């Protein structure tokens, strides 16, 4: 029988790409989102890509009754929990909002998973839990550092919620995927990143500058102790990232987990500097980007990239797309939006 996967926050950037890959892998998918940080663009894009409309529930995961209703209406075999706020700076200004939203929604998911006959839970975590790492690349055994923002803190706390819930309730199994820097868009250019207001993240800022929505990209810091002075990150293609979720979900559903709670890094293992990324974007898309060097952004780490060996070996997953292909897809998506 086909298994059903609930994708919370499924109308957003990562959720919509994961939804497409799950459907293509043969799963039934229920998409739920409160639409607090997106519109229907990506959900409609998903409908076009897969050629049919998936069940969509507009709801807030902080509302326990709504979560219970959802689990009563559908037999959920696995839930992938994306529904959370994710802006680092905003979380510093509004910590209680972040704690309430990100923690309560996940507690509700875990509670429903426990009380509705058991469920597999995949939590969307972040490399932010490693802070400024002492050794690179980071493995899953690298120590977590104290969080530098409420956002980062919610990722650490939710990982702990999942670990403890799995330990206490045998009906729940869990995987946390720690994403490095997800970028790009689906090759169809029908779904992609749709930040509200001025983008915080690098690639949307680059594409919006290239299209003329922003005047100039500020590169935050060129005096870091790195080869070209700009920060190093592990940029992971969004479709590659989405495929890691399919591998993780099938591992849970097929009973292939080695422990009831597992953690995997989802990255390429390849450090790329901000300047290298900008140059690659210019080259692959044949354009010049208006950029300048600006002071460092507070809270940024100098360098972080993944050791993805565990995911490669245990999930049978590997990042495949080149940075160039990913940046071409990001640009195609920005042009698609402009043409709307
Ligand atoms: C941040 C979060 C991470 C989250 C990710 C995606 C932290 C410390 N980081 O990663 O948890 O998963 O966003 O939401 O919590 N840059 C510029 N100019 C810009 C924007 C960015 O130079 O206009 C630089 C930054 O200084 C950084 C790199 O580009 O060196 C990547 O920045 P960004 O895309 O914001 O991601 P992170 O900060 O790495």
């Amino acid at each position: 029988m086909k298994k059903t996967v609930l994708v919370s926050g499924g109308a957003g950037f990562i959720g919509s790409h994961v939804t497409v890959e799950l459907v293509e892998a043969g799963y039934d998918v229920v998409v739920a989102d409160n639409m607090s940080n997106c519109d229907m663009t990506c959900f409609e894009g998903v409908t076009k890509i897969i050629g049919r409309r998936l069940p969509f529930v507009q709801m807030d995961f902080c509302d326990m009754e709504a979560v219970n209703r959802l689990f009563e209406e559908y037999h959920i075999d696995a839930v992938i929990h994306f529904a959370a706020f994710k802006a680092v700076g905003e979380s510093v200004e509004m910590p209680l909002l972040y704690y309430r939203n990100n923690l309560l929604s996940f507690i509700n998911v875990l509670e429903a998973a426990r009380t509705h006959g058991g469920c597999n839970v995949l939590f969307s975590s972040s490399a932010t839990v490693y802070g400024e790492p002492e050794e690179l690349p980071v493995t899953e055994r690298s120590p977590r550092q104290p969080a530098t923002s409420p956002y980062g803190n919610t990722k650490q706390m939710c990982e702990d919620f999942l670990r403890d819930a799995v330990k206490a309730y045998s009906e729940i199994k869990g995987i946390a995927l720690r994403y490095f820097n997800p970028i790009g868009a689906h090759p169809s250019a029908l779904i992609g990143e749709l930040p509200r207001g001025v983008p915080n993240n690098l690639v949307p800022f680059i594409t919006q500058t290239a299209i003329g929505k922003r005047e100039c990209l500020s590169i935050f810091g060129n005096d870091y102790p790195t080869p070209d002075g700009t920060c190093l990150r592990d940029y992971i293609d969004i479709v590659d990232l989405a495929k890691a979720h399919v591998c993780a979900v099938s591992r849970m559903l097929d009973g292939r987990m080695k422990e009831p709670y597992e953690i995997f890094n989802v990255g390429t293992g390849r450090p790329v500097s901000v300047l290298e990324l900008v140059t690659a974007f210019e080259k692959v898309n044949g354009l010049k980007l208006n950029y300048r060097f600006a002071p460092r952004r507070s809270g940024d780490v100098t360098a972080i990239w993944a050791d993805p060996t565990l995911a490669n070996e245990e999930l049978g997953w590997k990042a495949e797309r080149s940075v160039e292909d990913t940046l071409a897809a990001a640009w195609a998506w920005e042009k698609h939006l402009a043409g709307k």
Side-chain angles (χ1 to χ4, degrees), residues 198-252:
V198 182
N200 293 310
N201 297 120
L202 179 60
V203 168
F205 208 105
I206 289 177
T207 57
Q208 289 196 8
T209 306
I211 206 107
K213 263 171 120 173
R214 311 275 156 214
E215 213 170 293
C216 181
L217 167 76
S218 294
I219 294 184
F220 299 135
N222 62 343
D223 58 350
Y224 283 99
T226 59
D228 66 17
T230 66
C231 294
L232 295 170
R233 293 288 184 276
D234 186 333
Y235 295 96
I236 169 82
D237 180 84
I238 187 68
V239 177
D240 279 339
L241 179 91
K243 288 182 173 158
H245 292 73
V246 177
C247 296
V249 162
S250 68
R251 180 181 175 89
M252 293 197 286

Side-chain angles (χ1 to χ4, degrees), residues 74-195:
Y74 297 96
H75 177 85
I76 310 287
D77 297 292
V79 47
I80 307 184
H81 185 65
F82 293 110
F85 294 151
K86 58 156 201 167
V88 178
E90 188 181 67
S91 79
V92 175
E93 284 158 28
M94 293 184 270
L96 298 182
L97 183 78
Y98 270 66
Y99 287 128
R100 182 183 298 278
N101 186 62
N102 292 9
L103 304 184
L104 187 56
S105 61
F106 194 48
I107 290 170
N108 287 348
V109 164
L110 291 171
E111 193 71 64
R114 179 175 81 85
T115 51
H116 290 81
C119 190
N120 298 283
V121 180
L122 196 163
F123 176 63
S124 146
S125 191
S126 166
T128 194
V129 301
Y130 297 116
E132 180 88 63
E134 272 159 28
E135 277 178 37
L136 287 163
V138 287
T139 73
E140 293 76 0
R141 287 170 307 285
S142 300
R144 295 190 325 190
Q145 307 277 356
T148 53
S149 71
Y151 158 78
N153 211 9
T154 67
K155 290 296 174 195
Q156 298 204 356
M157 292 168 88
C158 286
E159 283 192 356
D160 295 346
F161 293 173
L162 182 55
R163 180 202 60 203
D164 294 347
V166 161
K167 208 185 284 170
Y169 312 118
S170 58
E171 52 279 41
I172 302 181
K173 296 202 173 16
I175 290 183
L177 296 182
R178 291 178 177 160
Y179 313 148
F180 284 67
N181 287 63
I183 62 165
H186 194 263
S188 64
L190 291 169
I191 53 176
E193 207 166 353
L194 204 55

